[in-house]
Amino acid sequence: MLTEQVYNAVRRLLSIVRPLLEQLIGRKPMIALQAEIDTQLEFRRTLNWFQLLAIGVGAMIGTGIFVLSGTAASSNAGPSVIISFVLTGVIAFFATLSFSELGTMMPLSGSAYTYTYAALGEYLAWFIGWNSALIYLFGIFTVAASWSKYVVFFIEIVSGYNSTRMIVEPPWGWNQTAKIFYPTGQTINLPAITIIAAITIILIIGIRTTATVNLVFVIIKVVILLIFICSCCKYVDTKNYDPFFPPNLGSFSEYGIPGMLQASTSVFFAYVGFDAVATAAQEVKSPERSLPIAIIGSNIISLLLYVGLCTVMVGLVSYEQLNSDSPLTVAIQATPYGLWLQIVMTLGGIASLTTVGMTVMLSQTRIFYAMAHDGLLPPLFCKLHSTTISPWISTLISGIFCAVVTGFGPVDIFNTTSTISALIMYIFVHVSVIVMRFTHKDMPRGFEVPCGRWLIPTIGSLLCMLLMKGVPGMAVYIFLVWTGLGQIFYFSYGYWHSQRRRLRKNQERNSMIELKLNPATNIGTVTPSQLEPDLPSVTREDVV
């Protein structure tokens, strides 16, 4: 009797667990993705490869070089910060290859979320999509705060007017050394709120306007960076490169080879952004051609500019002097150019940070659109404006959220949070390439990762894991808390509203209806066991 009860309990448990597991690991069929590509006409394909390339460059060149490079050089790597930018550029380059292959296979707005859904299943796709907010929305916090500092600095060097801190700093700050929050005595970061509001309006207007504004600002900032490199290189003092690897001071993060690796983790944020290109895949003409050009091209352009800028910057002044929110302007003080070049570089920083903020918010709204289209987020996130064809509600919600947090919160705590999320995303994309090479090996690809089906994705994944060693503990804590919130939301909403779940339920319901409506056709062909759930074989002997 007891054995019978245990046996029945195990079967009931399996009948509950199996549908759960089927949904969590169930992959989105490529036939469904292809149907979306062929029939989903909500977005307008208006972007060409050059505009898409500008989106990639616009998303990448910003805080990493204009703000974080100086801190990484002065506190971690010294002149070897140049190697840090090269190393992270190579790691990002490997990721661009994987993104390019999957992007040409699945040119949809979900980017890494969609790739993971097709290769690894719904639950891991949710994990990637949810944590993309740490890359994009949390990245906007850092960008907007840096933009505010550059605007204040620009006003000071142009007019000599010291802007009141009451309206340019949030009321709460974060002490990185003591790991505590502290009141700043200020009121609001008004410039940060202003730029976020402007970006939100531009994105709601539509992709064509967004791409045009971004292209103009990208051209401005690239020209200004080239002016800095060409005008200042002749004043480089090679003595500032010695020692190239300052002696380690006893901790992993302070100089030497370990310090260079720590700096690599810090500046990796400079390369986060090429993935923004993939989120615009549904709005670009000829994605099979344009996506690889824009994704790989934006990484190479950024790498070359970063190496050139860092080489000149650390050659102009001693690395100890670069601990500043605007290290390039500090380096200019070692040249005879005076105020005019500082003004130009500050304008370049403002332009750069503007494009980064605009493109990363664009990316987040497109990923939310894809997740809502699959039922994992509320449908309002995929609602498009009838005229501008933009996800305006999603954009508005994202803009308000970022403005409130940046205007009143201690955003410095989020500086490296985007890095850990980006590294994890790139690992999942590499793994997805390997999986898709086995599960869909005959499917045509507009671009293929060279050197076989697993070599570069494996090396890329291992290098991403290497960089994760230098992620600060607070960033890991924020990542885990955000991930925990994601689990609560998924199992309370996403799991129950998933399109795949609804499709499976409809198929089961239709099958039962067909059996009831046509009993004669099933006499002798359907056994009672076939009407039971298809469960793993469990016998009483197994239970005993």
Side-chain angles (χ1 to χ4, degrees), residues 303-322:
L303 172 60
L304 295 175
L305 285 174
Y306 289 157
V307 172
L309 287 165
C310 280
T311 302
V312 174
M313 179 182 70
V314 299
L316 290 174
V317 298
S318 174
Y319 63 87
E320 292 99 337
Q321 302 177 40
L322 295 173

Side-chain angles (χ1 to χ4, degrees), residues 213-438:
V213 173
N214 177 73
L215 179 60
V216 171
F217 277 94
V218 165
I219 292 174
I220 291 173
K221 73 177 178 182
V222 170
V223 170
I224 289 176
L225 293 177
L226 291 176
I227 289 174
F228 174 83
I229 294 173
C230 296
S231 61
C232 295
C233 63
K234 57 185 176 182
Y235 295 102
V236 166
D237 184 356
T238 55
K239 294 180 180 178
N240 290 320
Y241 296 130
D242 187 29
F244 193 72
F245 289 94
N248 185 265
L249 298 182
S251 70
F252 180 84
S253 62
E254 294 182 284
Y255 309 121
I257 299 295
M260 183 273 293
L261 293 176
Q262 179 64 46
S264 298
T265 302
S266 301
V267 303
F268 186 76
F269 184 70
Y271 289 98
V272 175
F274 65 83
D275 38 280
V277 173
T279 63
Q282 281 182 253
E283 299 163 273
V284 62
K285 304 171 185 176
S286 304
E288 68 282 350
R289 171 178 175 270
S290 300
L291 284 174
I293 293 175
I295 293 175
I296 299 174
S298 60
N299 175 261
I300 294 175
I301 291 172
S302 299
L303 172 60
L304 295 175
L305 285 174
Y306 289 157
V307 172
L309 287 165
C310 280
T311 302
V312 174
M313 179 182 70
V314 299
L316 290 174
V317 298
S318 174
Y319 63 87
E320 292 99 337
Q321 302 177 40
L322 295 173
N323 189 15
S324 168
D325 290 330
S326 52
L328 296 180
T329 56
V330 172
I332 290 172
Q333 295 174 6
T335 70
Y337 292 116
L339 191 62
W340 74 268
L341 189 55
Q342 292 186 43
I343 294 174
V344 169
M345 290 306 301
T346 305
L347 289 174
I350 294 173
S352 296
L353 295 169
T354 301
T355 62
V356 173
M358 187 159 45
T359 49
V360 295
M361 188 180 290
L362 169 73
S363 302
Q364 186 58 70
T365 58
R366 269 47 181 183
I367 290 181
F368 278 172
Y369 168 87
M371 296 175 70
H373 188 270
D374 291 331
L376 302 185
L377 288 178
L380 60 87
F381 284 95
C382 64
K383 183 176 178 59
L384 300 181
H385 193 279
S386 58
T387 303
T388 63
I389 317 298
S390 63
W392 68 280
I393 297 180
S394 177
T395 304
L396 189 61
I397 293 173
S398 299
I400 293 173
F401 175 73
C402 291
V404 171
V405 175
T406 309
F408 300 96
V411 298
D412 290 343
I413 195 174
F414 301 118
N415 282 349
T416 54
T417 306
S418 296
T419 298
I420 183 173
S421 297
L423 290 170
I424 290 175
M425 174 190 285
Y426 299 162
I427 291 172
F428 272 77
V429 171
H430 285 310
V431 173
S432 296
V433 169
I434 298 174
V435 171
M436 296 294 284
R437 286 287 186 94
F438 285 96

Side-chain angles (χ1 to χ4, degrees), residues 79-149:
S80 66
V81 71
I82 301 170
I83 305 299
S84 299
F85 273 97
V86 173
L87 175 60
T88 51
V90 171
I91 294 174
F93 177 74
F94 287 158
T96 63
L97 299 178
S98 293
F99 267 90
S100 296
E101 175 169 326
L102 296 177
T104 56
M105 292 177 65
M106 296 168 274
L108 293 166
S109 61
S111 183
Y113 157 78
T114 299
Y115 311 153
T116 306
Y117 208 156
L120 303 174
E122 179 177 292
Y123 179 73
L124 292 179
W126 163 264
F127 171 76
I128 291 299
W130 176 259
N131 282 292
S132 68
L134 287 179
I135 305 174
Y136 301 125
L137 292 184
F138 284 40
I140 294 173
F141 302 160
T142 302
V143 169
S146 299
W147 190 91
S148 176
K149 293 176 182 178

